[in-house]
Amino acid sequence: MSQEKQKHIIVIGAGAGGTAAAARLAREGFKVTVVEKNDFNGGRCSLIHHKGYRFDQGPSLYLMPKLFKETFADLDERIDDHLNLLRCKNNYKIHFDDGDKIHLMSDLTKMKPEMERVEGTHGFSRLLDFLGETHEHYERGTLIAIKRNFESIWDMVRIKYAPEIFKLHLFDRIYARASKYFKTKKMRMAFTFQTMYMGMSPYDAPAVYSLLQYTEFAEGIWYPEGGFNKVVQRLEKIARDKYGATFRYESPVAKINTKGNQTTGVTLESGEIIDADAVVCNADLVYAYHKLLPPCQWTQNTLANKNLTSSSISFYWSMDRKVTELDVHNIFLAEAYRESFDEIFVDNTLPSEPSFYVNVPSRIDPSAAPADKDAIIVLVPIGHMRGQDGNSTTEYYQVMVNRARTMVLEVLCRRLGLAHFQDWIQHEIVNDPAVWQQKFNLWRGSILGLSHDVLQVLWFRPSTKDSTGRFDNLFFVGASTHPGTGVPIVLAGSKLTSNQVCQHFNKTPKPSKLLLKEEENQRYTYRPEQVMATSYWNFVILLFIFVFAFFVSFPSEQLGHPTAAAFINAYLPSHFRVTVYE
């Protein structure tokens, strides 16, 4: 780099992925400029403050701690020097409609009587069997789906461990797999609601994502003292103070400038043009393709039809006292469990009986609220906005917010036995789908970007490099690109993206000075019998995956054909069509 002009990289968005990518690229010797729409960093992973109360605007569960540790280690930093991590004593307190409560916790000696109370004599052994399966999903899934890039379809063909994809139950669903282990509805609900963190229904989410339940038990749920945004704050400090990256706030981007097959920089809404040798986009991917780049067929016909995750109505309540009946993480599950998810993901609306999440950061970190008071966050899942641009009236969402508040307060009062809960709320802030869209440019207010359907993961997910193939130096990082949504996943994705940028400029990423030897050796070892003998078998497996996924996930409503076979017949040349003789 020192022998030639320093290459300039513009990163659009100072979210978790953009900030981590900026730090990584600055460490590699690039000149990095981050331009951010808002006057704060973190995007959804940001904070709300009100008179001594602090709220995590989005994520509040620090999961998969190894991925956070690796991110800091890749920057030659020890995470313990930057974050004070507090471990939750209980993972969750789950509240059911009949008044029953279940504590989920990593301490298996306490889980045993809880499981046997609900599931019967063999309940604990079934839990261990379930954790055995989710362990496989976690270990294999992390290697295959999170730490590997899929730049072309042939990356799927060449996977040496292709047979192991089947061990991930990619074509099964989380609720269906949980039902094989748990006999009661309560435990099936307790071990499947986590798909809400992916913005998906447990009846639709691929079973491999039960790796979330595994990491909660095996590695615990943590909280960074001072708020989740501390992660992004420290990454920005490393990027800026150690490696020289520049962060520009209140600098919304109007468009990504292009010339031929190259991006040349960005134009800000102020009219200022910033030239660059490459652009890394951490803005919402669907928004970026529709609003920041020239239109194309892929954007209009393919991307526009992809499934989105849910949105939320999130309440941020400043309480005038402590509500000791609530733990750090609380789940209130609807008795009409499946129906509530169908109303979100099929009817695209607010459930008539919602399941919702309540977070009390002040329970684990007293700095989140004044003394003897609580900060409370309530997240109520709701369908994303409708229409091409997600337009919905302010009046419509005000009605939805009022309905959600009424239902939440009724459930809290009844299940907690607190008749005057509403009177204890001193102040309220609300984010609804329209606010999420306006504040963070989230397409249709979808808070977690593109869904993780079978046909929207791995190579099928939008690439970390321009998926349209038009621009050779345009890269993406964030929830809607590979490998997917969630802060630890996005941080892992920042490594894939930054490595791809380095490859584009014929630069080899520097090895980390701090990676421990045992971490460096934690690479998957292949047994000869696991390796496919020839490319022929690789092709057969890939073809099977394509055909199976197509028939299982056929979007009949969107494509206007009742079955996959009808769709094929409609578009095949006439001499190839199947004719039925009566």
Side-chain angles (χ1 to χ4, degrees):
M1 280 303 261
S2 59
Q3 297 178 353
E4 58 179 302
K5 182 182 177 182
Q6 189 181 31
K7 300 296 185 183
H8 183 205
I9 314 294
I10 287 180
V11 178
I12 303 173
T19 303
R24 292 178 183 278
L25 291 169
R27 178 182 177 271
E28 298 299 336
F30 293 101
K31 177 184 176 183
V32 178
T33 301
V34 181
V35 287
E36 165 58 43
K37 170 183 183 283
N38 293 305
D39 61 356
F40 54 85
N41 69 9
R44 285 155 283 187
C45 188
S46 53
L47 298 173
I48 294 175
H49 294 274
H50 175 75
K51 295 184 178 179
Y53 293 86
R54 187 192 70 236
F55 307 93
D56 296 287
Q57 188 150 205
S60 57
L61 295 99
Y62 187 101
L63 301 173
M64 306 180 79
K66 288 181 181 178
L67 294 181
F68 288 89
K69 182 179 180 181
E70 289 175 11
T71 300
F72 280 83
D74 285 341
L75 300 172
D76 303 318
E77 294 288 329
R78 292 181 175 85
I79 195 168
D80 294 340
D81 294 336
H82 294 272
L83 300 175
N84 182 25
L85 296 174
L86 309 171
R87 183 165 186 168
C88 297
K89 181 180 178 181
N90 299 319
N91 289 351
Y92 302 99
K93 190 175 184 179
I94 301 178
H95 302 255
F96 296 96
D97 188 65
D98 63 1
D100 192 14
K101 300 172 180 60
I102 293 176
H103 274 107
L104 295 187
M105 59 198 83
S106 298
D107 188 340
L108 294 182
T109 62
K110 294 181 179 179
M111 277 301 301
K112 186 175 187 294
E114 193 81 328
M115 292 299 303
E116 292 175 349
R117 176 180 70 84
V118 179
E119 282 275 313
T121 306
H122 302 291
F124 185 65
S125 63
R126 288 197 290 269
L127 169 63
L128 296 180
D129 292 340
F130 176 75
L131 291 178
E133 176 174 300
T134 57
H135 169 78
E136 292 292 311
H137 290 172
Y138 178 81
E139 296 294 339
R140 300 176 193 274
T142 299
L143 285 167
I144 295 173
I146 297 175
K147 293 191 174 183
R148 180 185 178 94
N149 212 338
F150 292 86
E151 298 182 36
S152 76
I153 191 171
W154 300 111
D155 288 323
M156 293 182 68
V157 177
R158 297 183 187 122
I159 297 176
K160 294 181 180 179
Y161 40 81
E164 306 218 351
I165 289 180
F166 295 99
K167 296 180 181 179
L168 299 179
H169 302 104
L170 194 61
F171 303 114
D172 210 340
R173 302 294 179 261
I174 281 182
Y175 193 89
R177 295 304 302 176
S179 297
K180 294 180 182 296
Y181 295 97
F182 305 115
K183 304 307 177 185
T184 65
K185 179 182 177 181
K186 285 182 179 178
M187 281 304 176
R188 291 174 180 178
M189 293 161 68
F191 285 94
T192 60
F193 73 83
Q194 292 85 349
T195 59
M196 288 198 297
Y197 306 147
M198 300 168 55
M200 294 187 70
S201 165
Y203 298 93
D204 298 327
V208 62
Y209 290 107
S210 63
L211 60 84
L212 290 172
Q213 289 89 311
Y214 175 78
T215 186
E216 290 172 353
F217 273 91
E219 300 172 320
I221 295 178
W222 301 77
Y223 185 76
E225 187 175 26
F228 210 110
N229 182 252
K230 281 288 185 183
V231 176
V232 185
Q233 290 179 32
R234 302 310 296 182
L235 289 173
E236 177 180 336
K237 181 175 175 59
I238 295 168
R240 185 185 64 242
D241 297 349
K242 185 175 183 179
Y243 295 119
T246 299
F247 286 75
R248 295 184 53 178
Y249 289 95
E250 297 181 280
S251 301
V253 172
K255 69 173 183 174
I256 298 173
N257 302 329
T258 63
K259 184 178 181 180
N261 69 341
Q262 298 289 302
T263 61
T264 60
V266 299
T267 299
L268 303 182
E269 288 186 2
S270 65
E272 179 184 356
I273 295 175
I274 307 176
D275 294 325
D277 297 288
V279 172
V280 175
C281 184
N282 184 219
D284 181 83
L285 179 141
V286 187
Y287 168 85
Y289 273 112
H290 278 90
K291 300 296 184 180
L292 303 183
L293 289 161
C296 70
Q297 289 291 102
W298 181 84
T299 299
Q300 300 299 323
N301 298 335
T302 301
L303 183 61
N305 292 321
K306 288 188 178 293
N307 293 327
L308 295 167
T309 54
S310 63
S311 188
S312 81
I313 294 173
S314 295
F315 298 98
Y316 307 90
W317 288 337
S318 302
M319 309 299 292
D320 70 358
R321 68 190 66 197
K322 285 191 175 297
V323 185
T324 56
E325 290 80 1
L326 292 171
D327 210 329
V328 182
H329 303 294
N330 309 267
I331 305 293
F332 292 81
L333 295 175
E335 181 61 24
Y337 189 61
R338 177 158 195 162
E339 291 82 355
S340 68
F341 284 108
D342 287 346
E343 287 180 278
I344 296 170
F345 296 99
V346 178
D347 302 334
N348 206 46
T349 187
L350 174 69
S352 51
E353 182 191 354
S355 296
F356 58 91
Y357 163 65
V358 179
N359 173 228
V360 188
S362 49
R363 188 68 68 250
I364 191 170
D365 181 2
S367 68
D372 299 320
K373 298 182 180 181
D374 270 335
I376 292 181
I377 304 155
V378 181
L379 188 154
V380 184
I382 184 175
H384 60 72
M385 301 171 75
R386 304 176 185 182
Q388 180 64 31
D389 291 316
N391 294 322
S392 294
T393 64
T394 302
E395 292 77 11
Y396 172 81
Y397 279 114
Q398 188 56 58
V399 171
M400 292 296 103
V401 167
N402 292 338
R403 275 187 55 204
R405 183 191 299 107
T406 299
M407 289 190 290
V408 165
L409 289 172
E410 187 278 326
V411 170
L412 291 176
C413 291
R414 177 166 52 84
R415 298 193 194 181
L416 298 179
L418 301 174
H420 302 289
F421 186 94
Q422 183 172 0
D423 298 335
W424 303 342
I425 302 172
Q426 285 187 324
H427 185 265
E428 176 184 89
I429 298 171
V430 183
N431 280 355
D432 62 39
V435 174
W436 289 116
Q437 183 189 54
Q438 180 275 327
K439 193 180 290 186
F440 300 114
N441 289 334
L442 303 181
W443 191 253
R444 298 188 185 177
S446 168
I447 57 174
L448 294 167
L450 293 178
S451 185
H452 287 75
D453 303 341
V454 173
L455 294 180
Q456 292 186 185
V457 295
L458 304 179
W459 174 78
F460 301 105
R461 199 166 187 81
S463 173
T464 50
K465 188 174 182 178
D466 176 32
S467 294
T468 69
R470 293 178 295 170
F471 308 113
D472 195 44
N473 61 343
L474 173 61
F475 305 88
F476 288 84
V477 64
S480 288
T481 191
H482 178 74
T485 195
V487 177
I489 311 301
V490 166
L491 292 180
S494 73
K495 184 171 187 174
L496 301 179
T497 301
S498 61
N499 286 349
Q500 203 170 36
V501 173
C502 288
Q503 181 183 4
H504 174 77
F505 289 104
N506 298 315
K507 183 174 178 60
T508 303
K510 303 172 188 175
S512 169
K513 300 174 184 177
L514 286 182
L515 282 178
L516 302 176
K517 185 172 293 185
E518 58 265 31
E519 290 176 331
E520 292 176 331
N521 291 334
Q522 280 181 351
R523 299 189 180 95
Y524 191 82
T525 55
Y526 306 104
R527 296 187 296 275
E529 63 269 21
Q530 291 178 317
V531 181
M532 299 307 294
T534 65
S535 60
Y536 168 79
W537 287 110
N538 280 339
F539 177 77
V540 170
I541 285 179
L542 180 66
L543 182 62
F544 174 81
I545 291 173
F546 268 121
V547 173
F548 189 87
F550 179 76
F551 278 89
V552 167
S553 305
F554 182 74
S556 58
E557 293 182 4
Q558 293 94 322
L559 296 179
H561 297 281
T563 65
F567 174 81
I568 293 171
N569 253 7
Y571 290 97
L572 275 177
S574 58
H575 56 282
F576 284 127
R577 293 179 187 170
V578 177
T579 303
V580 179
Y581 297 94
E582 297 182 356

